[in-house]
């Protein structure tokens, strides 16, 4: 990846995401996963744009963010060996909103924009915005999309952090999403241009499975399946 870069990049966005590899036999470290409702592995992938940097096989009986912090640290160390001044952004869904990862990013000059699961405190903060979106929808009969931001501190955090809320109201009701970030751009721009493009990573994962058959983990030994991935 580094050798193919013909110019020094201004910013590198590292997208982290797990996926499921369904298992049909009795492979080593085979476990049932409640979310996927199947026996599977849970590999972690890291992309930078359309470039695959990491395919790391893991069993599925773990936290979805397991080892993500260590992998991020190794990637940053290697990238900054070549480009000491490059801006690096860590981007992921709410499974990766872990206090140690966020703290490490802040201590090492890494930007982050990460999904954040809603809870009672956040949902209370966003109630007025939800009412406003519903009222505007009734008046205009078109989908409403509103943004707001807050400072928020979870009990396990040592400090407050910036949280962006996006509220949509349409025919099917209200939809609310939260992201946490240390970036400074306006909320709507940061959500649309900074966070939403992480969905492109799913296409890369589909290519790995459909075109390269990365999910054919039919060897009994776990290490052999990692080699195949």
């Amino acid at each position: 990846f580094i050798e193919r870069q013909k110019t020094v990049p201004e910013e590198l966005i590292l997208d982290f995401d797990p996926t499921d590899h369904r298992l049909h036999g009795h492979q080593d470290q085979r476990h049932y996963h409640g979310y996927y409702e199947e026996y599977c592995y849970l590999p972690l992938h890291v992309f930078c744009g359309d470039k695959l940097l990491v395919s790391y096989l893991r069993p599925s009986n773990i936290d979805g963010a397991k080892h993500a912090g260590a992998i991020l640290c190794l990637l940053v160390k290697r990238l900054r060996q070549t480009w000491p001044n490059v801006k690096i952004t860590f981007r992921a869904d709410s499974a990766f909103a872990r206090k140690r990862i966020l703290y490490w990013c802040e201590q090492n000059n890494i930007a982050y924009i990460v999904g954040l699961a809603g809870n009672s405190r956040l949902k209370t903060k966003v109630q007025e915005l939800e009412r406003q979106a519903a009222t505007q929808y009734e008046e205009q009969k078109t989908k409403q999309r509103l943004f707001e931001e807050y400072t928020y501190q979870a009990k396990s955090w040592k400090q407050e952090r910036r949280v962006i809320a996006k509220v949509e109201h349409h025919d099917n009701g209200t939809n609310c999403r939260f992201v946490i970030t240390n970036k400074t751009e306006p909320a709507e721009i940061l959500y649309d241009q900074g966070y939403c493009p992480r969905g492109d990573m799913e296409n890369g994962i589909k290519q790995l499975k459909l075109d390269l058959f990365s999910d054919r983990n039919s060897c009994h030994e776990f290490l052999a399946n990692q080699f195949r991935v």
Side-chain angles (χ1 to χ4, degrees):
F1 167 74
I2 290 175
E3 291 175 350
R4 291 179 180 178
Q5 298 297 313
K6 297 181 180 178
T7 59
V8 177
E10 181 177 344
E11 181 181 17
L12 297 173
I13 299 176
L14 304 180
D15 284 308
F16 282 61
D17 203 17
T19 189
D20 62 312
H21 282 186
R22 180 182 299 178
L23 300 175
H24 302 281
H26 293 275
Q27 288 89 334
D28 183 28
Q29 300 194 47
R30 165 184 177 266
H31 297 281
Y32 185 82
H33 195 287
Y35 177 80
Y36 293 108
E37 298 183 339
E38 61 188 16
Y39 286 91
C40 62
Y41 288 141
L42 193 69
L44 175 65
H45 298 292
V46 183
F47 281 82
C48 184
D50 60 355
K51 304 296 191 301
L52 176 65
L53 304 186
V54 176
S55 282
Y56 175 54
L57 191 64
R58 306 175 300 176
S60 64
N61 64 334
I62 59 168
D63 175 5
K66 184 76 171 179
H67 298 148
I71 291 173
L72 175 63
C73 180
L74 291 170
L75 287 172
V76 168
K77 180 179 179 180
R78 178 64 186 91
L79 292 169
R80 284 184 169 167
Q81 283 178 353
T82 301
W83 303 305
N85 299 317
V86 68
K87 297 177 182 178
I88 299 176
T89 296
F90 169 69
R91 184 167 65 184
D93 64 19
S94 59
F96 295 85
R98 298 291 186 262
K99 64 178 182 179
R100 291 182 179 178
I101 295 177
L102 300 180
Y103 180 77
W104 186 88
C105 288
E106 292 159 351
Q107 296 302 305
N108 290 274
N109 194 29
I110 302 297
Y112 60 79
I113 179 164
V114 182
L116 186 65
N119 57 37
S120 58
R121 287 177 59 195
L122 289 172
K123 290 177 180 178
T124 298
K125 286 177 176 289
V126 85
Q127 284 178 352
E128 182 57 36
L129 192 65
E130 290 178 331
R131 285 192 288 268
Q132 181 182 345
T135 300
Q136 291 181 190
Y137 175 81
E138 293 300 322
E139 294 173 350
Q140 302 175 24
K141 301 301 180 183
T142 58
K143 183 176 79 171
Q144 299 298 308
R145 196 164 180 268
L146 305 179
F147 291 85
E148 205 164 64
E149 64 178 81
Y150 319 96
T151 55
Y152 169 74
Q153 182 175 357
K155 290 183 179 180
S156 61
W157 297 355
K158 296 181 179 179
Q159 64 190 61
E160 292 184 333
R161 293 184 167 102
R162 182 188 184 193
V163 172
I164 294 171
K166 181 213 68 172
V167 170
E168 289 184 351
H169 193 95
H170 42 67
D171 291 342
N172 296 325
T174 302
N175 181 28
C176 183
R177 293 286 185 271
F178 300 97
V179 298
I180 183 170
T181 185
N182 61 352
K183 295 172 76 71
T184 59
E185 292 89 340
E188 184 172 358
I189 292 175
L190 192 55
Y191 189 91
D192 288 343
Q193 300 179 19
Y195 183 70
C196 288
R198 67 169 297 275
D200 292 339
M201 181 182 184
E202 294 181 3
N203 294 325
I205 292 177
K206 288 179 181 178
Q207 286 180 323
L208 291 177
K209 289 183 174 182
L210 298 177
D211 299 334
L212 299 179
F213 310 112
S214 69
D215 58 344
R216 291 189 178 178
N217 304 148
S218 55
C219 297
H220 175 72
E221 297 295 333
F222 185 83
L223 185 59
N225 285 315
Q226 169 65 85
F227 180 77
R228 298 187 72 168
V229 170

